[in-house]
Amino acid sequence: MILIEHAVVVSMDAERRIFRDGSVLVDGRDVVQIGRAADVRPPRPPDRVIDGRNRLVLPGFVNTHVHLSEHMNRGVMADEIAVDRYMADWLIPLYSAMTPEDEACAATLACLEMIRTGTTTFCEAGTLFDVGAVADAVARLGMRAVLGRWTWDMAGARGRMRYSTDEALRRNDEMIAAVKDRGDGRIAAWPLLLGFGTCSEELIRGAHALADKHGTGWGMMHLASHPSRKTNDTMPLATLDALGVLDARTKLTHMVYVSAGDIALLARRGVHVVHCPTAALKHTKGLGEHGRFPEMLAAGVGVSLGGDSGNGSNHFDMLRLMHVTALVSKDARLDTRVMPPETVLEMATVHGAAALGLGREVGSLEPGKRADLVMFDLDTPEWRPLVDPVNSLVYAASGASVRTVMIDGRVVLDDGRITTIDETAVYRRIETLSREHIARAGVPVTPRWPVVS
Ligand SMILES: [Zn+2]
C-alpha cells in the first residue's frame, strides 16, 4: 500500500475535481481512495508514504500513436527531403535494415522518453518485425501498451517489407495470441494497418474480423493525411463505412482532411481519432488551414493525441503535444476560445484511454482504476505561481518537471530515477546500434554544418 499525501491532485474524474490538498491511496495495482487529504484514511499503515507537498498528481498520459522502431534513426531525415520521397528513399531502407535488438533498444529508448515525460500508456504504430522482442522491452520498463506490427499488402513492396494479404493477416493473428496478457496483463496487441492506400479491401475486412475474433480494437494508421498523397491516402470514409468496419473499436490516425459529413459519420459510429499535431506541422499537412479537430470534439468524436515518429514529430512528449494542440487551432481560427486547456488535457488522458478500450482502467484517478499516475515538481519556475493547475500544465509546464511516475501501482520513475533498468547503458548502446543501423541501410547523413571531431 502506497499513500501519496498533501499533493495537488487533478483527478480527471467525471466531475473533473481538483484537490488542492489531496491524497491518493494505492493498494496493489489499484487506486483505492482519492480525495481531500483529511478524508483519505488508509485501513492499515501504508508500506510507503510519498510526500506530495509541492507536487501535482495527474493520471498518466495516454499517447495513442507512436512508432517505436523509428527512434533508432530519429532525426536522420533532413528538412529538405520531399515529403513524397520519405517512404521510398528513407523509411523503407531504414526499416528493412532493423534487427530484433534494434527494435527492442529503440522501444526501450521510446519508453524511457515517455515515462520521463509522464506517459504511462501508449499505442504502437507498428513494430516492423519482432513484436516479441518489443513486448519484452516494454514489459521490462513496466509500461502499459497496445502493440502492433507493420501491416500492409501493398503491391510493389519489396524484400522483408513485402507481405501478401494472407500472410499479413496470419502474422497479426499469431501476434495477438502471443502478446495477449504479457507484462502482467498490461500489454496487448491489435491489428493496426498502415493506411495511405497500402491496404486492400480484403486486408481491411480481415483486420476487422481479427479484432472481432480476439476481442480487441483495430486501427487504420494513416488516413486523410497529406495533400501530396491525395490520390493514395484519401480513401473516402464512406467507402470504409460501406465495408462495415467503422465502430467504437476503430482508431483512425491523422484525419486532417475530413468533411462535415465525415465528422457526423465518425460521431455516429463512435470512431476514435488520433490527432498528431507536431507530425502534421513538420510534414506540412496543412493543419491550421484544414484541420477540423475542434469540430470533431464538438460533435462528440473522441480525439486523442499521438507523437507519431522519430522523423515525423521527433518526440513523444505529451506536454509539447498538448501545448501545440492548444495553440494551433486558436491561431488558425483567430479565436482564443478554441481548444481550451481543459479539452486538451482530456485528449491526453480520458480520450486516449477510451481510444484504446481502456476507459474503465486508466485515464482518470478513481477508486477501482489502475494506479497509473505522474507527479510533477511544483518547485520549478514553470509552475509558479500556481493559479490554475490545468492552465499551467498546458501552457507553461514541460516534461522536465516530471519527478515520479507510477504504472499499475509500481513506481517506475522514483524522484527522477528510473527504477527498472540501467538507463545510461541504453543510451550508450543505442549510439552504437544506430550508427551500424544507418550504415547498413545505406542512407546518407550529412549535417549542414561542419562537425569537428
Ligand atoms: Zn504514424
Side-chain angles (χ1 to χ4, degrees):
M1 198 169 263
I2 299 177
L3 174 66
I4 301 167
E5 60 177 4
H6 301 301
V8 177
V9 180
V10 180
S11 68
M12 297 307 292
D13 66 6
E15 297 166 60
R16 303 290 189 258
R17 288 181 300 169
I18 298 172
F19 300 96
R20 272 275 168 192
D21 177 20
S23 292
V24 181
L25 183 64
V26 174
D27 191 6
R29 53 173 54 182
D30 294 334
V31 172
V32 290
Q33 293 183 41
I34 175 169
R36 292 186 304 172
D39 298 335
V40 171
R41 305 279 174 93
R44 58 179 192 272
D47 303 298
R48 181 176 176 188
V49 177
I50 298 176
D51 184 358
R53 281 172 297 179
N54 302 317
R55 295 283 189 270
L56 179 134
V57 177
L58 258 179
F61 301 121
V62 182
N63 190 330
T64 49
H65 182 80
V66 294
H67 295 255
L68 300 178
S69 306
E70 211 174 303
H71 261 37
M72 183 53 66
N73 46 70
R74 163 157 59 181
V76 163
M77 286 165 58
D79 288 5
E80 56 266 30
I81 296 165
V83 173
D84 59 1
R85 299 312 304 166
Y86 284 175
M87 200 57 103
D89 295 352
W90 292 82
L91 296 178
I92 296 300
L94 286 163
Y95 288 172
S96 299
M98 295 290 281
T99 67
E101 190 190 4
D102 288 343
E103 292 207 282
C105 197
T108 304
L109 177 67
C111 287
L112 285 170
E113 181 179 348
M114 286 190 272
I115 290 169
R116 282 201 167 279
T117 49
T119 292
T120 51
T121 300
F122 68 87
C123 182
E124 155 74 313
T127 290
L128 298 163
F129 307 108
D130 203 323
V131 182
V134 169
D136 287 344
V138 175
R140 200 170 307 126
L141 271 290
M143 286 196 81
R144 192 181 305 284
V146 173
L147 302 181
R149 58 174 302 125
W150 187 268
T151 300
W152 64 14
D153 58 355
M154 182 176 66
R158 292 194 309 273
R160 296 177 77 197
M161 302 292 289
R162 185 194 161 127
Y163 300 105
S164 69
T165 310
D166 285 349
E167 199 179 353
L169 290 171
R170 179 177 53 76
R171 284 173 183 267
N172 270 279
D173 196 13
E174 290 168 1
M175 169 195 72
I176 296 165
V179 169
K180 209 168 214 154
D181 292 331
R182 291 282 287 276
D184 295 327
R186 293 187 313 273
I187 302 176
W190 287 10
L192 297 167
L193 307 184
L194 184 72
F196 279 150
T198 62
C199 307
S200 68
E201 191 179 310
E202 194 186 348
L203 184 61
I204 294 169
R205 284 183 199 274
H208 188 259
L210 277 181
D212 272 344
K213 174 183 166 185
H214 292 282
T216 69
W218 81 287
M220 193 83 165
M221 297 205 297
H222 306 87
L223 210 67
S225 172
H226 199 285
S228 79
R229 297 172 185 157
K230 210 148 202 157
T231 50
N232 279 336
D233 78 342
T234 53
M235 172 183 278
L237 210 57
T239 306
L240 267 183
D241 192 45
L243 300 181
V245 298
L246 294 185
D247 52 39
R249 291 181 297 122
T250 306
K251 180 169 78 75
L252 303 178
T253 300
H254 294 306
M255 304 300 285
V256 176
Y257 293 82
V258 293
S259 65
D262 290 337
I263 293 172
L265 177 60
L266 291 167
R268 208 158 56 237
R269 298 281 183 255
V271 171
H272 301 274
V273 167
V274 185
H275 176 25
C276 300
T278 43
L281 292 171
K282 187 159 181 276
H283 285 176
T284 61
K285 292 183 199 286
L287 179 59
E289 191 179 347
H290 300 284
R292 296 171 67 91
F293 297 98
E295 286 77 7
M296 288 188 212
L297 288 158
V301 178
V303 180
S304 55
L305 296 177
D308 209 8
S309 61
N311 289 288
S313 139
N314 299 47
H315 70 80
F316 296 163
D317 179 345
M318 291 291 276
L319 277 295
R320 292 162 77 186
L321 295 181
M322 286 195 289
H323 189 227
V324 166
T325 300
L327 297 183
V328 167
S329 298
K330 285 181 175 59
D331 182 67
R333 308 297 167 85
L334 302 175
D335 186 349
T336 53
R337 295 167 302 177
V338 177
M339 283 287 187
E342 291 79 9
T343 300
V344 177
L345 180 55
E346 288 172 345
M347 295 165 80
T349 54
V350 288
H351 289 337
L356 303 186
L358 294 169
R360 289 208 187 96
E361 284 82 29
V362 299
S364 62
L365 297 174
E366 297 176 77
K369 282 195 164 186
R370 301 296 91 76
D372 287 14
L373 57 85
V374 49
M375 296 178 72
F376 290 85
D377 185 353
L378 298 177
D379 275 346
T380 47
E382 63 207 51
W383 281 98
R384 297 297 182 186
L386 187 68
V387 177
D388 175 347
V390 179
N391 189 293
S392 293
L393 177 81
V394 172
Y395 291 123
S398 79
S401 60
V402 170
R403 280 291 171 276
T404 295
V405 172
M406 183 186 285
I407 305 175
D408 228 23
R410 177 186 186 195
V411 178
V412 297
L413 180 74
D414 195 348
D415 203 21
R417 187 180 59 83
I418 292 284
T419 62
T420 49
I421 58 165
D422 177 357
E423 200 181 354
T424 309
V426 176
Y427 303 141
R428 295 292 90 79
R429 187 67 187 140
I430 200 138
E431 284 296 331
T432 305
L433 290 177
S434 178
R435 262 174 250 276
E436 292 171 0
H437 162 69
I438 291 165
R440 244 187 350 265
V443 299
V445 180
T446 46
R448 291 189 200 89
W449 288 352
V451 177
V452 180
S453 51

